[in-house]
Amino acid sequence: MRNAWQELSGLLLPVSCAGCGRPRTELCGTCRTALHGAPARRVRPSPRPPGLPTVYAAAPYENAVRAVLLAHKERGALGLAGALGRALARGVRAGTERSGGAGPLLLVPVPSARSSTAARGHDPVRRIAGRAARDLRRGGLPARVLPLLRQRRAVADQSGLGARQRRANLAGALEITAGGGRLLGHRLLRHGRVILVDDLLTTGSTLAEAARALGEAYGAGREPADHGECRAAVVAASPTAFEINRN
């Protein structure tokens, strides 16, 4: 019911831009440009956590982009999922164009804690991933969302934790779902291109843990795609992760 009310209220109630507050628009042209105006680029946090896959991000996590992501995640502005999904799709395209290979794109969202999903009334990363897959298909790239991962233990709130503390907090926190385990030998996974997806990269610890859990589930000597390397894409990343690439 909560999701239905959020969708309905977004249609009926007056809105303002989630990025800057401009009235009568959910996302103004200026803030849309902040989200979509630049090519997706590779991001590398420093220090880089062990096991972090190659990651591409659409925009720096600051100003309007930060406000839009928070509005979608924490305030239930579900109408923003389309714009965020298109940004995520740009990151997926950038990573796959550079990796080559063939086969469908399999977007594996980083899972939220059940308590967070219940409190928010939706799973923001999975919702954005679904919109990204739709955008990719419209562009001629076969893509689907596969929620293969889940949390197997509680983790502390990441806000306020440093890079080392986040790695310790997340170590061993994710595992393959029961349904995901049954899919591992399926032809789709053997020949598809697996892309881990999330809304945000800060220290990279979450994506590194997701890559570990996915690789462990496949087992030694078996890769999560026929071309080998696991990749990742996010909507936004810490601005410093972009700055390192220019040095």
Side-chain angles (χ1 to χ4, degrees):
M1 287 297 295
R2 180 175 176 178
N3 279 353
W5 168 246
Q6 286 172 327
E7 296 276 12
L8 183 61
S9 63
L11 293 173
L12 298 181
L13 299 179
V15 297
S16 59
C17 176
C20 66
R22 182 176 298 176
R24 294 191 296 278
T25 177
E26 193 167 44
L27 189 63
C28 74
T30 299
C31 294
R32 192 177 296 275
T33 297
L35 185 61
H36 294 294
R41 290 176 288 163
R42 185 173 177 180
V43 288
R44 286 168 286 189
S46 181
R48 178 175 178 170
L52 180 69
T54 300
V55 187
Y56 285 83
Y61 185 64
E62 59 186 355
N63 305 326
V65 173
R66 180 179 185 274
V68 170
L69 273 170
L70 289 175
H72 176 261
K73 177 184 285 188
E74 305 297 350
R75 298 197 296 278
L78 304 184
L80 296 169
L84 294 170
R86 288 191 293 276
L88 179 61
R90 292 210 321 281
V92 172
R93 288 190 190 94
T96 55
E97 285 170 359
R98 288 161 176 78
S99 67
L105 300 176
L106 309 177
L107 310 188
V108 179
V110 170
S112 301
R114 290 182 181 178
S115 58
S116 297
T117 300
R120 292 169 178 149
H122 74 122
D123 185 332
V125 175
R126 189 166 175 178
R127 182 179 292 273
I128 294 170
R131 297 302 180 91
R134 184 185 304 178
D135 188 79
L136 291 163
R137 290 193 298 270
R138 286 174 177 169
L141 293 173
R144 61 179 295 183
V145 177
L146 290 182
L148 298 178
L149 299 173
R150 67 183 177 191
Q151 286 198 347
R152 65 179 171 190
R153 65 167 177 80
V155 298
D157 186 351
Q158 296 273 79
S159 60
L161 299 182
R164 183 176 298 178
Q165 292 169 315
R166 289 190 179 210
R167 288 199 299 271
N169 183 42
L170 290 165
L174 301 181
E175 66 180 359
I176 202 80
T177 64
R182 291 191 294 270
L183 282 171
L184 290 180
H186 194 278
R187 180 177 176 275
L188 179 67
L189 281 182
R190 291 201 307 270
H191 299 292
R193 291 174 283 174
V194 174
I195 312 292
L196 287 166
V197 295
D198 204 351
D199 57 352
L200 174 64
L201 176 142
T202 50
T203 67
S205 299
T206 303
L207 281 171
E209 169 59 16
R212 180 211 61 78
L214 193 59
E216 185 178 276
Y218 273 90
R222 289 195 295 166
E223 296 291 347
D226 60 352
H227 64 277
E229 184 185 4
C230 178
R231 298 258 167 171
V234 296
V235 174
S238 169
T240 59
F242 287 91
E243 291 169 1
I244 289 171
N245 294 333
R246 295 195 291 267
N247 292 338

